[in-house]
Amino acid sequence: MESCDLGSRLHGPVWQRRPSPAARRGVIVNIIHSVQGYHSKTIHFLNVAFDSSGDSLLAGDHQGNMYVFDLNGNRFNLVQRTMQPSTALAFNLRRKTEFLVALADYSIKCFDTETKELVSWMRGHDSSVSSISVHGSGRYAITTSTDTAQLWDLDTFQRQRKLNVRQSVGIQKVFFLPLSNTILSCFKDNSVFAWEFDTLHCKYRLPTPVEGSVLVYKVFAVTRDGRIFVAGGKSNNLHLWCLESKQLIRIIQMPAKVRAVRHLEFLPDSFDGGSNQILGVLSQDNIMRFINIETCKLLFDIGSHEEGISTATLSPNGRYIAAVMENGSLNLYSVQALTQEGNKPPPPVFRVVEDKSKGTSEANKLRMRVTSGRSERPWKPKESKIQTRLLKLQGNTSLENKENELPGGLNKKRLQALLKGFGEYPAKYRMFVWRSLLQLPENHLAFSRLIDKGTHSAFVNIQNEYPIKSRKLLRVLRRTLSALAHWSDIFAETPYIPLLAFPFVKLFQNNQLICFEVVATVVVNFCQHWFEYFPNPPVNVLSMMENILAHHDKELLQHLMKYNVTSQVYAWPLLETLFSEVLTREEWLKVFDNIFSNHPSYFLMIVVAYVICSRAPLLHCNQTADFEYFFHRRNNLDINIVIKEAYHLMEATPLDIHPQRVLDDFIPLTKGQYPVFNKYPKVITDYQTQEWERIRQDEIEYLRERQLAHELEAKAQERKAEDEAWYRKQELLREAEEQRRKVLLEEEEKLVEQRQRLAAMKREMKIKELQFLDASRRRLLKYQQDQRQMELRRLDDDIARKASMREQETAATVEDVEVQRMELESQRQLFEQHLIKDQEAVTKEMKEEVDTHRRKVDLEDHLVQRLMEIDREEKQKAQTWEEVIQTKSQLEEEQKAAAAADEHRKQFLEDKMNYALQLAEKLQNEDDYFERLRALKARCTERRADLHQVPRTANICLNELSASASSSHLSLDSRGDVLAWQELMAGVRQLRQELIARAATRRPPPRFQDTTWAP
């Protein structure tokens, strides 16, 4: 068994090589999702859903990971992470890449598998959503929870309606019936209502189940045609309802080991026309059993006690079963491998003979028991005794009877007897009978390989030759014909193969495999020797029919030959269309019931019978067109008479001309692989293929050239249209120009008139403006005069105010000057006092120095005398000289000391003079009134004159000079006072020199006595 571990991969292959599903009970692949780490574990899958095609599978696990498995492409992709478990899935929406997922938070989300984006988020449920049902159009969805069901529009993702119920009556399930506009709602009280989708009006309600029933409905299933409704629950009984008659038609009892049913689902099989016969029943033991609801036969089962099934779903095409196992893995089963046992002829069956006693209830009459390989009907009740009889095949059964045994437990002889008795098979079982008669192998893999080759090039544009309104029917026809062409090249070259296959395509359009195999069986058995004269009609076959007609109705044949009507006119149209042009649907089905039940030669006989039964109208035709018209339209002919005539021809035709002598017996298609079909002239086919290829290349070249010619023509037409448009545009422009010229002239005339009126208005406005300006000018002049007068008055007031302020300031300044003068006078007196004190101190110092000098002189004299005396006594001459030298040096030192004292006095006087001058300059800067300064200057001049007259004594006052100097310095602001100031400063310097000289004279230099030198 192939196994696939998704692990942490986002995408990858599902299987490494194509597995063999028959290897282990039909399992194609086992898919698990394990997580490797510190604690390795397996993530359980919860839900699965197939798309509408049945070739893609959507699965959700416990962590919210959504995987899409492409079963044809052998790929899987992680399309979404919802981060929470899912409770229901739906993958059959109108937009094929979108899917719905119901989550544990009671919300429903729509995602896109290609973009992996959130499309919509729908809320409204207050409990977990258990199921999602999508309408056949894919535009609407119903979500069901225990308390409500809601209808959603999947185009706008808006809620349309909401179904509320009482809390005591919960909802089991609400879903759409397939291929209809009916909604079925199932409640916990076993009530089932049907609602009209458009109006949501109640259509009907199913009656209460039979008396004594304790079955509580839990799970439900409906056939594809919407006729049979099955319900199950906590019991081993299943109730089958007919929704057309609203009646309980059957109660199926499952085996005793089944105590409860958890899930129900029909296995799709298109050959039965939607009336599904196989039902899958998942019970409490985790085993899903598939039974036939007609025969109540157990066909096969999946799962076991060791590997139990949690939930399962079936693909719409009936090819796969996806089952979520109890261990969390996902198993994919092949229906073909599981049904191989069911395709074998069944063993002898046991039948139960019922004793119709009066006490038998109607419920017991409806009850059937499911057995493995047998069917009991009806099941015996406890009150009545039932006798059983085993039907065994007799030991001397002939080989012919064995050959008449057909699949499905049918017998060809019995079917022929039934057909002769009723003229046709029951419509309900016709497809099943045909399948058994033709012994179709149902080679799914071989057919899939033919389909995978794609559309054959011969049928790409078949819609041009056969415009079919239904797109689905056209698609199925194209696929069937392409499969036939891939099977054998002759069918790609056969022009009438679409006509031959179309009736079966229309009949089996829901199951392409059955359609292909029926057509292939018809071609192999009922179209023998048709292709030996290809591409011409089968002359040999037509000759056989002409011989039969000549033998049974020579007159009619001669009439046809009289008007050159050959078998290609009266027989070949019926053969190549399989009577589909001349018969209705019911007649055609009845005819082919007989054709499939007899030897292939019966097909030719029924063509001859149709011609013979039409002899009356044919004998009245005398033109070839009338004959051709007759065999290409429906005619007023009883088909039952034709069928009886065909049987008469089969019996009355001699063996030498009987088609049975030439045609082989019926040979079914082989299982596993289809047989090789090469009964045709391959040279002609190859030649035709080459010719078709050459014609196709020529056609491609022709189409290319035609496309080029069309492009050139289109360009020429475009250029021509552009030229015409340009000329029209120029003409329109010229007309527009002329019209605009006229309009311009009119506008110019109007403009001249307007200009004249405007000039007159301007003149008037100018005059008015001049008048207004004159008045304004006069008013302005008056206003200016008034303003000037006001300014003059304001200036006079300002002058008077300034004059008074100037007088007040002058008076205040004079007072300030007087105060300053008084301060200067006090300062001068103070300076004079300090100067007198300094002079007295200097005089005193000088007197002390003179006295000291005198005492020193006296002492020196005394010393000199004493020395002289001593010198006279001892060394008069030598000692006297030394004393003189010492005395001289002492005198020089005294002179130096006197000179230093003079320098000190000079420096002191200069400092005092500089301080007086600085004070005078400060006073000059603070006083700005020139009149006062002139007076001070005059006074200074007078004082300077007085100073020149004063005798030069030692007691002269320097402060007065300083005051006069400072007073004269205050008059420097004018140019005339500069010379006077210079003269004043020269006088001060001269006075300073005189004072220095006088100070020097006051301290005369020391005088020494004359010294005499002794010889």
Side-chain angles (χ1 to χ4, degrees):
M1 177 179 60
E2 185 77 17
S3 180
C4 175
D5 188 358
L6 303 182
S8 60
R9 295 182 296 169
L10 302 180
H11 53 81
V14 182
W15 51 75
Q16 299 301 325
R17 62 179 182 177
R18 187 72 180 184
S20 177
R24 189 177 182 274
R25 294 186 57 80
V27 179
I28 298 176
V29 65
N30 173 254
I31 303 172
I32 62 174
H33 185 192
S34 63
V35 177
Q36 302 295 331
Y38 183 75
H39 295 289
S40 299
K41 63 179 181 178
T42 299
I43 302 175
H44 288 209
F45 285 99
L46 298 179
N47 304 97
V48 289
F50 281 96
D51 65 349
S52 56
S53 66
D55 295 328
S56 293
L57 175 67
L58 177 69
D61 60 17
H62 193 270
Q63 290 187 351
N65 299 315
M66 294 294 162
Y67 292 91
V68 171
F69 299 90
D70 184 3
L71 303 181
N72 283 341
N74 186 26
R75 300 291 296 175
F76 77 87
N77 286 288
L78 176 62
V79 296
Q80 194 56 238
R81 285 193 174 101
T82 61
M83 308 308 293
Q84 53 182 324
S86 60
T87 58
L89 297 176
F91 198 23
N92 53 344
L93 279 63
R94 183 170 64 90
R95 291 177 287 272
K96 303 303 180 183
T97 60
E98 295 180 358
F99 66 90
L100 295 176
V101 53
L103 302 175
D105 61 353
Y106 312 150
S107 65
I108 303 100
K109 293 184 179 181
C110 181
F111 295 99
D112 193 295
T113 59
E114 290 185 354
T115 62
K116 301 181 181 180
E117 294 180 353
L118 176 65
V119 178
S120 180
W121 192 350
M122 299 174 285
R123 292 182 176 272
H125 285 279
D126 297 329
S127 59
S128 178
V129 177
S130 58
S131 67
I132 301 175
S133 176
V134 181
H135 189 261
S137 63
R139 297 183 57 187
Y140 302 95
I142 295 177
T143 56
T144 307
S145 59
T146 56
D147 56 349
T148 182
Q150 301 185 14
L151 175 63
W152 304 88
D153 187 346
L154 297 183
D155 288 337
T156 61
F157 296 99
Q158 298 295 323
R159 186 174 64 189
Q160 301 295 323
R161 294 295 181 91
K162 182 178 182 180
L163 176 63
N164 293 319
V165 295
R166 296 193 303 271
Q167 189 174 3
S168 59
V169 183
I171 299 176
Q172 290 286 10
K173 189 175 183 180
V174 181
F175 56 94
F176 288 103
L177 285 183
L179 305 178
S180 68
N181 284 334
T182 303
I183 299 175
L184 215 61
S185 59
C186 309
F187 301 95
K188 292 183 178 180
D189 60 354
N190 283 8
S191 60
V192 179
F193 291 85
W195 310 83
E196 184 65 34
F197 170 64
D198 297 330
T199 61
L200 292 180
H201 292 161
C202 182
K203 296 175 65 176
Y204 57 85
R205 175 183 178 181
L206 295 182
T208 306
V210 295
E211 73 280 357
S213 175
V214 294
L215 175 60
V216 178
Y217 292 166
K218 293 290 186 181
V219 289
F220 313 91
V222 181
T223 58
R224 197 168 185 271
D225 57 3
R227 294 181 179 179
I228 302 299
F229 171 70
V230 183
K234 292 184 178 180
S235 172
N236 65 342
N237 292 335
L238 300 177
H239 287 187
L240 268 69
W241 293 85
C242 179
L243 297 181
E244 293 181 346
S245 61
K246 289 83 176 175
Q247 295 295 327
L248 180 65
I249 60 175
R250 187 172 303 157
I251 299 177
I252 300 177
Q253 183 180 9
M254 297 295 293
K257 61 181 68 176
V258 176
R259 299 189 302 272
V261 179
R262 293 169 49 191
H263 182 68
L264 292 173
E265 190 166 355
F266 278 99
L267 178 63
D269 193 357
S270 299
F271 79 91
D272 55 13
S275 58
N276 308 127
Q277 303 296 320
I278 301 176
L279 176 66
V281 182
L282 178 62
S283 56
Q284 89 290 340
D285 57 358
N286 300 328
I287 298 176
M288 191 168 190
R289 299 171 176 86
F290 289 83
I291 64 171
N292 190 309
I293 61 175
E294 292 294 332
T295 63
C296 295
K297 177 183 176 182
L298 178 61
L299 303 178
F300 60 89
D301 57 21
I302 58 176
S304 62
H305 296 288
E306 294 78 13
E307 296 181 357
I309 297 177
S310 175
T311 183
T313 184
L314 282 72
S315 63
N317 56 13
R319 297 175 59 183
Y320 305 105
I321 301 174
V324 178
M325 311 305 288
E326 286 292 324
N327 58 8
S329 63
L330 179 63
N331 275 6
L332 187 65
Y333 294 88
S334 172
V335 176
Q336 181 186 9
L338 293 171
T339 56
Q340 284 180 353
E341 294 294 330
N343 290 334
K344 296 180 180 180
V349 297
F350 290 94
R351 295 189 179 274
V352 179
V353 179
E354 178 183 1
D355 184 10
K356 297 183 178 180
S357 60
K358 296 181 180 180
T360 305
S361 64
E362 182 182 0
N364 292 331
K365 293 179 181 179
L366 297 174
R367 183 165 301 191
M368 295 184 65
R369 178 177 296 174
V370 176
T371 59
S372 179
R374 62 184 181 180
S375 175
E376 296 181 357
R377 180 186 179 112
W379 180 52
K380 66 175 183 178
K382 294 180 180 179
E383 294 83 1
S384 61
K385 296 181 180 180
I386 306 301
Q387 295 180 355
T388 62
R389 183 165 55 92
L390 178 62
L391 301 179
K392 296 183 179 180
L393 293 175
Q394 297 181 3
N396 57 353
T397 303
S398 63
L399 180 62
E400 182 181 357
N401 290 334
K402 291 182 179 180
E403 292 177 354
N404 290 328
E405 292 296 332
L406 299 175
L410 302 180
N411 186 278
K412 190 173 183 180
K413 289 295 184 181
R414 294 179 182 178
L415 290 176
Q416 289 176 351
L418 178 66
L419 185 61
K420 288 182 180 180
F422 294 96
E424 62 179 337
Y425 295 123
K428 187 175 182 180
Y429 302 101
R430 176 177 281 119
M431 300 299 106
F432 177 70
V433 174
W434 283 15
R435 178 186 176 188
S436 299
L437 289 172
L438 299 178
Q439 303 179 34
L440 303 180
E442 296 188 22
N443 299 325
H444 289 275
L445 296 179
F447 179 70
S448 298
R449 285 193 288 270
L450 293 177
I451 291 298
D452 292 342
K453 292 181 180 180
T455 303
H456 198 276
S457 59
F459 304 107
V460 173
N461 299 320
I462 192 174
Q463 68 275 5
N464 299 332
E465 187 175 358
Y466 300 97
I468 301 175
K469 185 177 181 180
S470 175
R471 293 186 178 180
K472 178 182 178 182
L473 194 60
L474 178 63
R475 183 170 61 253
V476 175
L477 177 62
R478 183 186 287 112
R479 288 184 179 179
T480 304
L481 295 177
S482 299
L484 289 171
H486 291 307
W487 177 41
S488 181
D489 295 337
I490 187 64
F491 300 118
E493 308 297 334
T494 306
Y496 56 84
I497 196 67
L499 300 175
L500 187 144
F502 181 74
F504 299 103
V505 170
K506 191 172 184 180
L507 189 62
F508 298 101
Q509 57 181 320
N510 293 324
N511 193 329
Q512 299 179 33
L513 171 64
I514 300 300
C515 177
F516 170 78
E517 292 187 349
V518 168
V519 175
T521 304
V522 169
V523 170
V524 171
N525 293 279
F526 299 94
C527 301
Q528 298 181 35
H529 307 289
W530 279 30
F531 306 98
E532 293 178 359
Y533 294 92
F534 183 82
N536 300 316
V539 180
N540 50 350
V541 178
L542 298 177
S543 298
M544 285 189 292
M545 289 188 291
E546 189 172 351
N547 293 335
I548 297 171
L549 182 61
H551 181 271
H552 293 283
D553 198 341
K554 190 173 183 180
E555 180 184 359
L556 179 59
L557 179 60
Q558 289 177 354
H559 178 73
L560 295 175
M561 293 175 62
K562 179 181 178 180
Y563 295 102
N564 295 324
V565 177
T566 63
S567 57
Q568 296 186 17
V569 176
Y570 64 81
W572 182 237
L574 301 177
L575 291 175
E576 67 179 357
T577 61
L578 300 181
F579 292 93
S580 61
E581 287 185 347
V582 297
L583 298 179
T584 63
R585 175 184 173 87
E586 290 75 14
E587 294 174 346
W588 188 87
L589 293 173
K590 186 180 296 185
V591 167
F592 271 87
D593 284 344
N594 291 272
I595 292 174
F596 289 156
S597 301
N598 291 278
H599 191 271
S601 60
Y602 182 80
F603 182 34
L604 305 182
M605 291 301 184
I606 205 167
V607 174
V608 178
Y610 185 87
V611 176
I612 293 174
C613 293
S614 305
R615 70 187 312 274
L618 291 176
L619 290 174
H620 288 82
C621 295
N622 53 14
Q623 293 183 4
T624 306
D626 295 339
F627 290 101
E628 293 176 354
Y629 178 76
F630 181 84
F631 289 104
H632 285 88
R633 64 180 296 273
R634 295 177 182 176
N635 303 296
N636 189 12
L637 189 64
D638 189 357
I639 196 63
N640 295 321
I641 298 175
V642 175
I643 294 172
K644 291 180 180 179
E645 181 64 24
Y647 280 111
H648 172 70
L649 295 176
M650 286 287 290
E651 297 174 357
T653 303
L655 293 178
D656 56 344
I657 62 172
H658 201 291
Q660 192 171 0
R661 182 177 59 86
V662 180
L663 301 181
D664 298 331
D665 293 337
F666 179 83
I667 301 176
L669 299 178
T670 57
K671 291 187 177 181
Q673 295 292 336
Y674 295 115
V676 177
F677 187 82
N678 56 0
K679 297 178 181 180
Y680 58 89
K682 189 171 179 60
V683 177
I684 297 177
T685 306
D686 296 341
Y687 174 75
Q688 289 234 349
T689 303
Q690 295 174 2
E691 287 296 315
W692 278 113
E693 182 65 23
R694 183 183 61 80
I695 292 172
R696 190 177 67 84
Q697 295 296 335
D698 294 343
E699 186 177 0
I700 292 174
E701 183 66 21
Y702 167 73
L703 292 175
R704 187 183 65 79
E705 293 178 357
R706 189 175 67 176
Q707 180 68 20
L708 183 60
H710 285 331
E711 291 178 357
L712 294 175
E713 185 179 359
K715 289 182 179 179
Q717 293 292 337
E718 184 180 359
R719 191 177 296 110
K720 183 178 179 181
E722 289 178 355
D723 294 340
E724 292 179 355
W726 185 80
Y727 283 119
R728 286 197 301 271
K729 187 175 181 181
Q730 294 299 322
E731 185 67 21
L732 292 174
L733 289 174
R734 188 182 61 78
E735 294 177 358
E737 186 179 359
E738 292 295 334
Q739 185 178 1
R740 282 170 176 74
R741 283 181 181 177
K742 294 179 181 179
V743 174
L744 186 60
L745 292 175
E746 294 177 358
E747 292 295 330
E748 287 180 354
E749 293 177 357
K750 292 180 181 180
L751 185 60
V752 170
E753 294 177 359
Q754 290 180 358
R755 284 178 178 175
Q756 292 176 357
R757 290 195 298 270
L758 186 61
M761 292 176 64
K762 282 185 177 181
R763 286 194 296 272
E764 294 178 0
M765 292 296 295
K766 193 68 175 177
I767 294 172
K768 291 181 180 180
E769 185 179 359
L770 291 174
Q771 292 175 357
F772 178 75
L773 289 175
D774 189 22
S776 299
R777 185 176 58 79
R778 287 195 298 271
R779 190 163 53 251
L780 181 61
L781 290 175
K782 184 177 179 182
Y783 176 75
Q784 289 178 352
Q785 289 178 359
D786 296 340
Q787 289 291 330
R788 287 179 180 177
Q789 289 177 0
M790 291 177 65
E791 288 179 0
L792 288 174
R793 286 195 296 272
R794 191 181 301 111
L795 289 174
D796 291 340
D797 295 340
D798 291 341
I799 290 171
R801 187 174 61 257
K802 288 182 179 180
S804 62
M805 289 177 63
R806 186 180 301 164
E807 291 177 355
Q808 293 176 2
E809 290 176 356
T810 303
T813 303
V814 169
E815 293 177 357
D816 292 339
V817 171
E818 288 293 333
V819 172
Q820 290 179 359
R821 186 187 63 78
M822 294 174 64
E823 290 178 354
L824 290 174
E825 185 67 22
S826 63
Q827 289 180 1
R828 183 185 63 77
Q829 294 176 359
L830 182 61
F831 289 158
E832 288 179 351
Q833 293 177 1
H834 285 298
L835 184 59
I836 292 171
K837 289 181 180 180
D838 292 338
Q839 288 177 356
E840 289 178 354
V842 170
T843 304
K844 185 177 181 180
E845 290 177 358
M846 292 179 66
K847 286 182 179 180
E848 290 179 356
E849 290 178 357
V850 171
D851 293 337
T852 304
H853 182 67
R854 286 178 179 176
R855 283 194 299 272
K856 288 181 180 180
V857 171
D858 292 336
L859 182 58
E860 289 176 354
D861 292 339
H862 177 71
L863 291 174
V864 169
Q865 290 175 4
R866 188 178 177 181
L867 289 172
M868 289 177 65
E869 289 175 359
I870 295 170
D871 187 55
R872 287 187 190 101
E873 292 175 356
E874 296 179 355
K875 296 179 179 179
Q876 291 181 356
K877 292 183 180 182
Q879 292 179 353
T880 302
W881 179 253
E882 291 177 359
E883 289 175 359
V884 170
I885 292 173
Q886 292 178 354
T887 303
K888 187 176 180 180
S889 60
Q890 291 176 0
L891 289 176
E892 289 177 354
E893 289 175 359
E894 288 177 359
Q895 290 178 359
K896 290 179 181 179
D902 293 338
E903 289 293 330
H904 179 71
R905 283 193 299 273
K906 291 179 181 179
Q907 185 66 31
F908 177 76
L909 291 176
E910 287 179 358
D911 291 339
K912 292 296 183 180
M913 290 295 296
N914 290 334
Y915 177 77
L917 292 174
Q918 289 176 0
L919 183 61
E921 288 176 359
K922 181 177 180 180
L923 292 174
Q924 179 185 4
N925 292 333
E926 291 177 357
D927 266 338
D928 295 326
Y929 297 96
F930 300 108
E931 294 179 358
R932 188 71 176 172
L933 290 175
R934 289 191 186 94
L936 292 174
K937 184 179 179 181
R939 188 182 302 170
C940 182
T941 305
E942 293 175 359
R943 287 184 180 181
R944 187 175 58 184
D946 293 335
L947 286 174
H948 285 289
Q949 294 177 3
V950 173
R952 296 179 180 178
T953 61
N955 294 328
I956 189 170
C957 185
L958 296 176
N959 290 330
E960 291 180 359
L961 294 176
S962 300
S964 63
S966 61
S967 299
S968 63
H969 185 66
L970 295 175
S971 64
L972 293 176
D973 290 339
S974 63
R975 293 181 179 179
D977 296 335
V978 173
L979 297 175
W981 171 253
Q982 292 178 354
E983 293 177 357
L984 178 61
M985 291 301 295
V988 169
R989 284 193 294 272
Q990 186 178 2
L991 179 61
R992 184 182 300 170
Q993 294 176 358
E994 291 178 356
L995 288 174
I996 291 171
R998 289 182 181 179
T1001 54
R1002 285 177 60 186
R1003 192 182 60 182
R1007 295 179 178 273
F1008 299 98
Q1009 294 180 2
D1010 295 335
T1011 302
T1012 58
W1013 298 88

